[in-house]
Amino acid sequence: EVQLVESGGGLVQAGGSLRLSCAASGFSFDDYHLGWFRQAPGKEREDISCITEDGSTLYADSVKGRFTISSDKAKNTVYLQMDSLKPEDTAVYYCAVDGPFIAGYGCSLYEYNHRGQGTQVTVSS
């Protein structure tokens, strides 16, 4: 059974940083793509980043240059380092996974099959 558990959310001032973690189980990082999406109250979900088994990444324009996704296969954990945070980054952040995929297949930003319970990120101005 696929399980994803996010942590690391909280309250931060604009311009600050947070690192989200997602502990994963029930699948192999070698075959699946992992991603992060967020949803703010009254807004549509926004898929913001993904990473493949070989470390290839993709970012939405809204976070490119400020957020960094990474994974640690030994710990079965994916991270989202968020820098230069803005009030509009306030949302519940979710980790997600999809696959399996053929090795070398690039990831895309869309609604993945499985997601975690989410962690709240609030950026104050």
Side-chain angles (χ1 to χ4, degrees):
E1 179 186 2
V2 172
Q3 289 191 334
L4 302 166
V5 180
E6 301 95 336
S7 61
L11 174 64
V12 63
Q13 288 188 332
S17 299
L18 280 174
R19 189 175 83 153
L20 306 182
S21 300
C22 174
S25 61
F27 64 94
S28 170
F29 275 36
D30 289 333
D31 301 317
Y32 285 71
H33 295 170
L34 290 137
W36 290 91
F37 70 94
R38 63 188 182 186
Q39 188 149 26
K43 295 185 178 180
E44 292 186 358
R45 63 174 282 153
E46 182 184 16
D47 299 291
I48 57 174
S49 186
C50 63
I51 187 168
T52 68
E53 77 290 342
D54 64 359
S56 297
T57 59
L58 187 65
Y59 298 94
D61 288 343
S62 60
V63 305
K64 194 176 297 182
R66 300 188 298 122
F67 290 11
T68 303
I69 189 171
S70 62
S71 65
D72 186 333
K73 292 183 180 181
K75 295 182 178 180
N76 283 347
T77 302
V78 62
Y79 304 97
L80 186 68
Q81 176 67 41
M82 305 186 296
D83 299 318
S84 302
L85 283 161
K86 306 175 182 179
E88 51 264 44
D89 293 319
T90 296
V92 179
Y93 283 70
Y94 298 88
C95 172
V97 63
D98 203 6
F101 292 98
I102 297 172
Y105 191 85
C107 65
S108 299
L109 300 179
Y110 63 93
E111 186 170 352
Y112 285 6
N113 284 336
H114 303 281
R115 71 178 198 183
Q117 83 290 348
T119 185
Q120 176 70 46
V121 171
T122 303
V123 184
S124 63
S125 57

